[in-house]
Amino acid sequence: DADVTQTPRNRITKTGKRIMLECSQTKGHDRMYWYRQDPGLGLRLIYYSFDVKDINKGEISDGYSVSRQAQAKFSLSLESAIPNQTALYFCATSDPGQGLLFGPGTRLTVT
Amino acid sequence: AQRVTQPEKLLSVFKGAPVELKCNYSYSGSPELFWYVQYSRQRLQLLLRHISRESIKGFTADLNKGETSFHLKKPFAQEEDSAMYYCALTNTNAGKSTFGDGTTLTVKP
């Protein structure tokens, strides 16, 4: 069974629509992250959370919001999707010093 | 500010040849460095941590603080090593990781 799961795996949506990407982990880690992957740009951090009451902006948080519903769940929302948010989105979790454990990714296309 | 640079976007070698994927970093503190690998159609996964000084799938990486580098090496590349490789630096205090842009390695038969 996968330690980190993401839903949906693929999504096509229209400009202006609200969309939520969900992430769950079974590792019992406090730290969770959302990254965006674009060709040639590596991974860029959108938001991160170190516990249920802790939410922090990453380097590219504009246009995104998050919710940490429980230790195991961390959702990413696009309030009004735009085409340049088309990307591959990864959720990750970690223990300090142990490196990141990634989900399978959500491929989002905004038309 | 922390920064990770992977100067090669693409790297191609023949099977059995040595391979080195370069990674340079800038960071004012004591860095934690990692290599991640993404095989085709698979999720990113941790390959190496500098702190563990281990060899995984024949790959090694040594932290050189003088040159601020953490290059990934393998003496004899295999076709199954073809993948995207990311170098990442973690800010211990802030708990955030910064990634390089990645290097796509192709190992030709």
Side-chain angles (χ1 to χ4, degrees), chain A residues 17-109:
Chain A
K17 294 291 188 181
R18 184 178 189 274
I19 183 168
M20 178 181 287
L21 310 183
E22 298 187 348
C23 175
S24 294
Q25 52 107 353
T26 59
K27 298 294 289 183
H29 292 164
D30 287 324
R31 298 183 175 192
M32 296 189 74
Y33 307 81
W34 275 103
Y35 283 91
R36 168 178 170 159
Q37 184 184 37
D38 296 275
L41 294 179
L43 278 83
R44 293 180 290 169
L45 183 62
I46 306 172
Y47 270 96
Y48 61 105
S49 168
F50 287 171
D51 66 40
V52 174
K53 297 179 181 178
D54 176 74
I55 301 289
N56 304 282
K57 293 183 177 181
E59 56 185 306
I60 54 163
S61 59
D62 287 348
Y64 301 95
S65 63
V66 290
S67 173
R68 185 80 184 267
Q69 300 95 323
Q71 185 196 44
K73 296 184 180 297
F74 192 36
S75 300
L76 176 71
S77 294
L78 286 68
E79 298 301 327
S80 180
I82 56 177
N84 75 1
Q85 291 177 313
T86 293
L88 188 55
Y89 290 85
F90 285 103
C91 175
T93 183
S94 75
D95 258 348
Q98 297 301 308
L100 293 162
L101 182 64
F102 285 90
T106 295
R107 187 168 298 280
L108 176 66
T109 303

Side-chain angles (χ1 to χ4, degrees), chain B residues 74-86:
Chain B
K74 185 169 183 176
F76 308 104
Q78 303 299 313
E79 289 181 68
E80 55 265 29
D81 296 329
S82 295
M84 173 75 88
Y85 291 81
Y86 289 98

Side-chain angles (χ1 to χ4, degrees), chain B:
Chain B
Q2 59 194 67
R3 184 177 177 87
V4 177
T5 302
Q6 293 179 249
E8 305 133 330
K9 289 195 180 300
L10 302 171
L11 185 61
S12 181
V13 300
F14 284 101
K15 177 182 174 181
V19 63
E20 180 180 65
L21 292 85
K22 291 183 168 53
C23 173
N24 290 92
Y25 67 90
S26 62
Y27 182 56
S28 57
S30 184
E32 287 186 16
L33 285 152
F34 301 83
W35 276 99
Y36 292 87
V37 61
Q38 186 178 29
Y39 300 103
S40 180
R41 300 185 185 280
Q42 294 187 26
R43 68 183 71 192
L44 278 140
Q45 55 187 281
L46 178 66
L47 181 62
L48 283 176
R49 301 177 295 158
H50 93 268
I51 199 168
S52 62
R53 300 185 62 82
E54 57 199 342
S55 173
I56 303 293
K57 299 184 179 183
F59 284 98
T60 59
D62 291 319
L63 177 61
N64 186 324
K65 292 187 177 181
E67 297 183 358
T68 59
S69 68
F70 188 56
H71 303 327
L72 183 68
K73 301 177 183 179
K74 185 169 183 176
F76 308 104
Q78 303 299 313
E79 289 181 68
E80 55 265 29
D81 296 329
S82 295
M84 173 75 88
Y85 291 81
Y86 289 98
C87 181
L89 182 153
T90 297
N91 179 323
T92 308
N93 292 333
K96 296 189 297 179
S97 296
T98 299
F99 285 77
D101 290 345
T103 297
T104 300
L105 173 65
T106 302
V107 181
K108 297 180 285 188

